[in-house]
């Protein structure tokens, strides 16, 4: 079966692979539907405690499939509202920590989707391209929100207006992503990172995501209040008790990931 999205279940976590390599994993509507179903299934599985998102072939994701966009009469705003914006929101709001392994070029909304994940690793040969200006469009799927916050407005504006590729090493040096590594190390490192997150205090990692999601909109006062509330919630969970006990007993913690 020619799946547009492949899912592999590992012990405690899942890999989700964008799988249209002949089109550099550019998104079509059916691919969005399959990805949403894959994310639904992962979220609903209590044994799944982390996700790894990557692409097959030589690209990560070339954004919207331009052939589909041209052939299909749906307005562009509909596509964003129906597929891209919910995807970005759900990656950000997911209860699961999400690692993104950028195995090759990321362009257009492909960059935005990567940046909506929690930790982004890239192969040294990968590039990030704000490809929008070249086709007469503006950055979307959260690009104008995430890019300036990660790398500063001067760099974000120039990348968007010029559409120049940003090599992975530069992206890491600028703080767009967590780090880059040699191409043959990408998947082993991304998998090790995801497995490590999967053995973490999952519910608490979800609370951390909430704090970071609120941060750009908040003041110091509002973040202090939010952190107080989230900390109370974290401290009421079994993983806090286990973490404290493990510290006392000088052993690694065995987190259940549960919220209580
Ligand atoms: C593609 C694509 C592609 C189809 C490569 N579509 N086939 C949201 C909502 C609604 C509407 C509009 O937009 C959005 C958000 C967006 O994402 S808009 C931005 C869409 N993406 C782009 O504009 C990127 C277009 N692609 C490129 O500029 C290049 O392909 C890059 C720079 C990504 C890679 O270049 P190369 O490494 O030289 O590869 P290539 O161009 O040879 O691509 C390989 C094949 O993939 C090729 O097909 P072919 O039959 O000639 O082998 C491309 O046509 C196809 N492909 N991107 N987005």
């Amino acid at each position: 079966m020619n799946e547009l999205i492949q899912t592999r279940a590992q012990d405690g976590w899942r890999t989700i692979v964008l799988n249209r390599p002949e089109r550099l994993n550019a998104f079509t509507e059916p691919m969005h539907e399959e990805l949403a179903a894959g994310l639904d299934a992962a979220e609903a599985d209590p044994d799944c405690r982390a996700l790894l998102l990557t692409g097959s072939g030589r690209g990560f994701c070339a954004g919207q499939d331009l052939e589909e966009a041209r052939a299909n009469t749906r307005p562009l705003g509909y596509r964003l509202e129906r597929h891209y914006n919910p995807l970005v929101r759900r990656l950000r709001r997911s209860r699961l920590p999400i690692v993104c392994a950028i195995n090759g070029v990321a362009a257009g909304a492909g960059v935005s989707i990567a940046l909506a994940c929690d930790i982004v690793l890239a192969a040294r040969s990968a590039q990030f391209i704000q490809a929008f200006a070249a086709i007469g469009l503006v950055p979307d799927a959260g690009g104008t929100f995430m890019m300036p916050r990660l790398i500063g407005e001067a760099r974000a504006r120039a990348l968007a207006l010029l559409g120049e590729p940003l090599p992975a090493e530069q992206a890491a040096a600028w703080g767009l992503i967590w780090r880059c590594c040699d191409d043959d190390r990408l998947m082993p490192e991304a998998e090790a990172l995801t497995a490590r997150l999967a053995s973490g205090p999952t519910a608490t990692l979800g609370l951390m995501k909430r704090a970071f999601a609120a941060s750009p909109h908040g003041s110091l006062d509002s973040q202090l209040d939010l952190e107080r509330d989230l900390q109370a919630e974290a401290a009421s969970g079994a993983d806090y008790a286990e973490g404290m006990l493990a510290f006392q007993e000088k052993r690694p913690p065995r987190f259940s990931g549960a919220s209580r």
Side-chain angles (χ1 to χ4, degrees):
M1 191 167 116
N2 190 19
E3 299 160 314
L4 303 171
I5 299 292
Q6 292 176 335
T7 304
R8 292 194 289 270
Q10 278 90 352
D11 188 17
W13 53 283
R14 292 185 187 201
T15 305
I16 294 183
V17 185
L18 309 179
N19 188 37
R20 290 185 75 224
E22 71 288 356
R23 288 285 170 267
L24 302 179
N25 304 316
F27 267 97
T28 57
E29 287 196 359
M31 193 172 156
H32 271 292
E33 303 289 351
E34 279 191 33
L35 179 57
L39 290 168
D40 284 345
E43 294 269 359
D45 176 2
D47 293 329
C48 180
R49 291 170 59 187
L51 284 178
L52 172 56
L53 179 67
T54 192
S56 66
R58 71 177 180 85
F60 169 68
C61 175
Q64 167 64 36
D65 186 294
L66 297 177
E67 286 302 314
E68 184 194 67
R70 197 169 52 86
N72 190 314
T73 52
R74 290 193 201 282
L76 300 193
Y78 167 86
R79 287 161 191 279
L80 290 169
E81 195 59 27
R82 174 82 178 82
H83 293 298
Y84 289 90
N85 294 354
L87 172 58
V88 166
R89 288 190 179 106
R90 76 174 299 169
L91 293 172
R92 274 289 156 107
R93 291 175 188 166
S94 172
R95 69 173 183 87
L96 301 168
I98 306 176
V99 174
C100 183
I102 305 287
N103 52 302
V105 68
V111 177
S112 305
I113 290 163
L115 298 181
C117 298
D118 295 300
I119 301 182
V120 185
L121 284 168
R124 206 170 298 283
S125 66
Q127 294 188 322
F128 297 82
I129 310 178
Q130 293 290 290
F132 304 93
I135 53 169
L137 291 180
V138 299
D140 58 20
T144 59
F145 182 88
M146 294 182 281
M147 295 283 291
R149 282 172 172 78
L150 290 165
I151 60 175
E153 198 171 326
R155 288 165 171 162
R157 277 183 192 249
L159 286 175
L161 269 61
L162 300 173
E164 284 185 5
L166 180 69
E169 239 167 45
Q170 188 79 69
W174 282 3
L176 187 72
I177 61 171
W178 164 236
R179 51 181 302 224
C180 91
C181 52
D182 291 340
D183 288 20
D184 61 350
R185 295 297 310 149
L186 178 71
M187 289 316 289
E189 290 206 16
E191 286 168 359
L193 198 57
T194 313
R196 182 174 147 193
L197 288 166
S199 65
T202 315
T204 301
L205 301 185
L207 298 179
M208 285 186 202
K209 291 181 61 154
R210 273 170 55 190
F212 281 110
S215 172
H217 322 286
S219 61
L220 175 60
D221 278 337
S222 65
Q223 283 300 117
L224 288 171
D225 289 349
L226 179 63
E227 289 168 4
R228 175 202 59 210
D229 295 344
L230 295 177
Q231 200 68 293
E233 204 173 327
S236 71
D239 281 342
Y240 171 61
E242 165 59 10
M244 294 295 275
L245 190 64
F247 177 77
Q248 261 180 350
E249 294 175 351
K250 299 189 186 300
R251 60 165 174 82
R254 291 182 291 269
F255 291 124
S256 71
S259 55
R260 295 274 162 202

